[in-house]
Amino acid sequence: MDIKKYTEDMIERYIYQVNRFLPGRNKKDILKELRTLIWDMIEERTKGRTLEKKDVEIVLMELGTPAELASKYGEKKRYLIGPELYPRYIWILKIVLLIAVIAGPAAVLISRMTSGLDVGFAGTGQLWFMAVWEMLEAIFGSAVTAFAMVTLIFAIMERAGVPGNIFSFQEGMDFLPPVPDKNARISKGEPIASLIFLMILFVIMVFIPQIIGAVVYQDGVLTRVPIFQLSVLKRAMPLFCIWFACSAVAEIVKLVEGRYTMRLTVVVLIGNGISLLLSIFIFTQFKIWNPQFIPQLQEAFPEMNPDLGVMIWNLMTNFFLLIVIFAILLECGTVLYKGIKYRDYDR
């Protein structure tokens, strides 16, 4: 690569990384001004002599890391959390807040709906008022808790003198990886949506697994028929928690990386490998399915074809594990393929 192409490439890498941490206002103007500033600094340094690679690297190092430079465009002084950590703090806080304010109320809504089956959810206005109040309380409580925890962690890091580049494992010019191809990038919405789904599913499986099943109306009473044996599920719950943790870590790494890399591939393969083994162990060694599910449904619905019900139940319980295995292997294959294909963007 000749010196001109090298210089343009390094400048674009730097600007791309700065863009990730800039606030939403005036981004285009700031980046345009930054590009001009970098070229001016390079010209000032060379003063007519032949441009060398070290000139470009020195200029970019003088500007500081992209996160440090982006923090200088903030409008307010920051005292609790310094400028080096602040961009990462805001970035992580937005994500955690989004997940908290969605997952918290979702868990309350699910819990309220299940309790409503017993008390007549469509009844008095007072019940609706209590439900709305609990929802608002969950939103506020989740947001405050998320804000407090993230802020506390970063405040401790600031007081401990943790450098802003703690989130990066590169040194020198390595903090500027190549600008990834559009197909190599991972949209923030994908891992965020997955994390929200995982959190809601985690709350359901841990606290209210009985709602996963059928609801039947018999003798004037609404009754739930769970698809799981709750006593067996309780014994398997520690393994489920490990499964959820592995899945969440993989999604968090996707969010942090922002693109397909070999590092992400390794994390996903390890996490999914553990999830795969846990899935096989749980669904083969624990009699987790409720054997009374179909008999209870037949009791509630005498007109139901018993043979058809048993056939559907057997298909579901027998093929569920195969579907889970297929989904895990499909994700592993996809991430591995893209990690290898776009490995040139990963130093």
Side-chain angles (χ1 to χ4, degrees):
M1 182 183 294
D2 60 43
I3 187 62
K4 182 179 180 181
K5 289 184 178 180
Y6 175 80
T7 302
E8 292 175 348
D9 181 60
M10 295 303 294
I11 292 175
E12 289 304 314
R13 294 187 190 191
Y14 189 89
I15 290 175
Y16 173 79
Q17 294 296 328
V18 171
N19 182 54
R20 296 181 63 195
F21 300 107
L22 278 176
R25 298 178 180 178
N26 304 321
K27 269 191 174 185
K28 292 184 178 179
D29 294 337
I30 292 173
L31 296 177
K32 182 178 179 181
E33 179 180 302
L34 176 59
R35 185 179 282 104
T36 301
L37 173 63
I38 294 174
W39 280 112
D40 290 343
M41 292 177 66
I42 291 175
E43 291 179 4
E44 178 65 24
R45 178 172 179 80
T46 56
K47 294 182 178 179
R49 65 175 173 81
T50 303
L51 177 64
E52 299 178 359
K53 287 185 177 181
K54 67 177 182 180
D55 295 317
V56 182
E57 296 176 356
I58 290 174
V59 166
L60 296 180
M61 292 295 290
E62 287 176 351
L63 289 172
T65 66
E68 292 172 347
L69 183 64
S71 68
K72 295 178 182 178
Y73 287 93
E75 299 178 355
K76 299 180 181 179
K77 293 183 178 179
R78 304 152 190 148
Y79 299 100
L80 182 63
I81 299 171
E84 291 189 5
L85 291 175
Y86 189 79
R88 288 288 187 179
Y89 162 72
I90 290 296
W91 185 64
I92 293 176
L93 181 61
K94 289 178 180 178
I95 296 169
V96 174
L97 281 175
L98 177 62
I99 295 174
V101 299
I102 293 177
V108 171
L109 178 61
I110 293 170
S111 175
R112 190 67 188 173
M113 289 176 64
T114 55
S115 65
L117 292 174
D118 298 324
V119 300
F121 191 59
T124 66
Q126 185 178 7
L127 290 176
W128 281 104
F129 174 79
M130 292 174 61
V132 173
W133 176 259
E134 287 182 14
M135 192 71 65
L136 294 175
E137 186 179 30
I139 294 174
F140 180 77
S142 300
V144 170
T145 301
F147 174 81
M149 292 302 297
V150 174
T151 302
L152 177 62
I153 291 172
F154 274 83
I156 293 174
M157 292 171 62
E158 178 69 26
R159 294 297 175 269
V162 176
N165 61 2
I166 187 65
F167 298 98
S168 176
F169 299 101
Q170 296 98 357
E171 297 180 356
M173 287 287 93
D174 287 340
F175 68 78
L176 293 178
V179 177
D181 183 271
K182 288 184 179 180
N183 294 326
R185 301 176 189 179
I186 300 176
S187 170
K188 289 182 180 178
E190 178 185 336
I192 289 175
S194 297
L195 285 170
I196 293 173
F197 172 77
L198 284 171
M199 184 171 290
I200 294 175
L201 185 61
F202 176 79
V203 170
I204 293 174
M205 291 296 293
V206 173
F207 298 105
I208 45 177
Q210 66 274 12
I211 72 168
I212 304 177
V215 178
V216 298
Y217 185 80
Q218 189 176 19
D219 299 329
V221 179
L222 286 173
T223 306
R224 287 184 294 267
V225 182
I227 65 173
F228 298 121
Q229 286 199 84
L230 300 182
S231 59
V232 177
L233 180 64
K234 185 177 181 180
R235 295 201 303 270
M237 193 53 62
L239 299 180
F240 271 112
C241 291
I242 298 174
W243 186 93
F244 280 113
C246 291
S247 301
V249 168
E251 296 303 324
I252 291 172
V253 174
K254 286 183 183 178
L255 191 61
V256 173
E257 288 288 285
R259 66 189 192 280
Y260 289 99
T261 64
M262 291 307 298
R263 179 167 53 217
L264 171 63
T265 300
V266 171
V267 172
V268 171
L269 290 179
I270 293 175
N272 282 2
I274 296 174
S275 298
L276 179 62
L277 294 176
L278 287 174
S279 300
I280 295 173
F281 183 79
I282 290 172
F283 288 100
T284 57
Q285 300 302 313
F286 290 87
K287 295 181 179 179
I288 201 170
W289 303 110
N290 181 10
Q292 298 302 315
F293 183 79
I294 294 299
Q296 287 181 281
L297 287 184
Q298 289 175 343
E299 183 179 348
F301 304 102
E303 68 278 6
M304 185 179 74
N305 187 327
D307 295 331
L308 178 62
V310 171
M311 183 185 71
I312 295 175
W313 175 254
N314 290 336
L315 285 174
M316 187 193 77
T317 55
N318 291 332
F319 284 95
F320 182 81
L321 178 58
L322 295 178
I323 295 173
V324 171
I325 293 174
F326 175 78
I328 293 175
L329 293 179
L330 180 62
E331 184 184 17
C332 288
T334 301
V335 174
L336 179 60
Y337 168 75
K338 292 188 176 182
I340 295 174
K341 182 178 180 179
Y342 301 114
R343 65 183 181 276
D344 291 339
Y345 295 102
D346 183 27
R347 286 191 173 185

